[in-house]
Amino acid sequence: MIDRFGGLVGGREWAGMGFLRRVGVYGVLWDGDRVLVVRDGVGGEFRGVWRLPGGTVAHAEHPERAVVRAVAEQTGLTVAAGRLRAVVADVTSYPEDVSLHTDRLFFELTQRDGQATEAGGGLVDRVAWLTLAEAAGLSLTPFTAEMLGLPVTPLPPGSHRPGQSFPPPHPDRRLRFGAYGLVTDPAGRILLTQIADGYPGAGLWHLPGGGTDHGEQPTTGLLRELVEEGGQLGRVVELLGVDNLHNPAALGPEGRPLDWHGVRVIYGVLVDVPTDAVVIESAGGSTARAGWFTRAEAVDLPLSDIAALAIGQSGR
């Protein structure tokens, strides 16, 4: 189901069982053949384990600004965020009946100023420039090893911080991570979906996609939504970037204003064998109809912000 603010919350992530969601951002910064890494201290997410520098996106914060901030706080370096290199999701279960889903975004960084310094305060206790051979001899988080092309090994026992350290979700705030596609066919047509009545942005034409489920990888969620909203089988061909949306008083099906923060990654998707676009999700969903359009036709439609962004950038 499409959401207009990064996903439509169904309550499962927010109540009872403790299904929690967050978005993390990390930077890959090289100095010759050495990469910048940090080691989490007693207050960090992975106590005693090395990882790429970065942290959690704050409410309403753009992921690109978040990674610049986190790297500065942890290493003392001023950096600039470049290309979004990868997006992965993982789930950690805690004995306190907390299941934490983290969507992790990895940016290429360039250094602008400063010198890497030892961090304090308990979140990070070491900062280092390491060659890949040196990094391979350390205990690395799985996502760090994967990003550096090194063997992925299980974390040592006791590495994760206690589940009770997570604050309860804010009752009027919603964070939703979504995956969307600039979906094309071999003829260059673009698949768009129209937002149904009763949803923010009703009547606008939108990118296929929406909020990912708890435990779901972003590309898996996107291809699922593509089938539900357009009846198409596609394949992801590239990662285009990330879009940030903050609406402090969004009014949707919940019936009351909510402070929405949506982090939305955009992929290029190719449908090799296109068929007539048909909405097959359940009646009453957020998609009214779907259609294939030439680029000239698409730019003349009333478009959602993310659709206008993706189509405009791709036409450069």
Side-chain angles (χ1 to χ4, degrees):
M1 181 179 293
I2 295 178
D3 64 86
R4 306 308 153 204
F5 306 101
L8 182 62
V9 170
R12 180 171 178 263
E13 283 94 356
W14 306 105
M17 182 64 184
F19 288 87
L20 302 178
R21 295 288 296 260
R22 68 174 175 179
V23 177
V25 288
Y26 304 87
V28 182
L29 179 61
W30 291 93
D31 179 15
D33 64 348
R34 300 181 304 162
V35 66
L36 183 67
V37 292
V38 299
R39 190 179 69 181
D40 274 349
V42 293
E45 181 181 0
F46 304 98
R47 183 171 46 197
V49 180
W50 292 84
R51 60 171 174 81
L52 295 169
T56 303
V57 176
H59 184 71
E61 187 177 32
H62 194 292
E64 291 180 356
R65 291 194 291 272
V67 72
V68 170
R69 170 187 55 78
V71 170
E73 292 172 352
Q74 295 172 9
T75 71
L77 295 176
T78 301
V79 299
R83 180 175 70 95
L84 180 60
R85 178 171 168 178
V87 184
V88 299
D90 56 68
V91 176
T92 302
S93 297
Y94 294 88
E96 300 85 359
D97 288 332
V98 173
S99 178
L100 176 65
H101 173 122
T102 305
D103 296 290
R104 303 185 194 272
L105 285 67
F106 300 87
F107 292 89
E108 294 180 353
L109 302 179
T110 55
Q111 183 177 345
R112 287 187 169 175
D113 195 14
Q115 182 174 354
T117 58
E118 298 292 337
L123 294 180
V124 168
D125 63 11
R126 289 288 306 278
V127 179
W129 293 97
L130 301 177
T131 66
L132 289 182
E134 292 169 335
L138 300 176
S139 177
L140 302 173
T141 63
F143 61 81
T144 296
E146 183 177 357
M147 286 301 106
L148 298 180
L150 297 174
V152 176
T153 58
L155 290 174
S159 297
H160 286 290
R161 65 184 178 189
Q164 64 264 25
S165 64
F166 300 111
H170 192 287
D172 295 321
R173 287 181 176 176
R174 295 293 184 267
L175 166 67
R176 189 63 164 168
F177 175 88
Y180 294 82
L182 180 62
V183 180
T184 58
D185 70 1
R189 296 184 303 169
I190 300 171
L191 181 71
L192 295 172
T193 58
Q194 190 176 44
I195 303 172
D197 292 340
Y199 290 85
L204 296 179
W205 288 90
H206 193 50
L207 297 181
T212 58
D213 291 337
H214 195 90
E216 188 174 45
Q217 292 294 333
T219 53
T220 302
L222 171 56
L223 296 180
R224 170 182 53 77
E225 295 275 3
L226 180 58
V227 173
E228 295 174 358
E229 298 174 352
Q232 307 296 311
L233 296 176
R235 56 187 177 92
V236 174
V237 294
E238 61 179 325
L239 176 58
L240 299 176
V242 60
D243 175 62
N244 191 71
L245 176 66
H246 178 223
N247 188 332
L251 184 62
E254 296 81 8
R256 64 187 179 94
L258 294 172
D259 187 352
W260 273 94
H261 178 204
V263 176
R264 309 180 293 185
V265 292
I266 308 171
Y267 293 90
V269 178
L270 180 63
V271 175
D272 294 292
V273 184
T275 59
D276 291 340
V278 178
V279 179
I280 63 174
E281 68 180 5
S282 302
S286 57
T287 303
R289 56 181 173 144
W292 288 102
F293 301 93
T294 66
R295 184 173 298 276
E297 293 170 336
V299 297
D300 286 336
L301 293 171
L303 298 172
S304 68
D305 58 345
I306 192 172
L309 173 68
I311 293 172
Q313 289 185 339
S314 69
R316 291 177 181 174

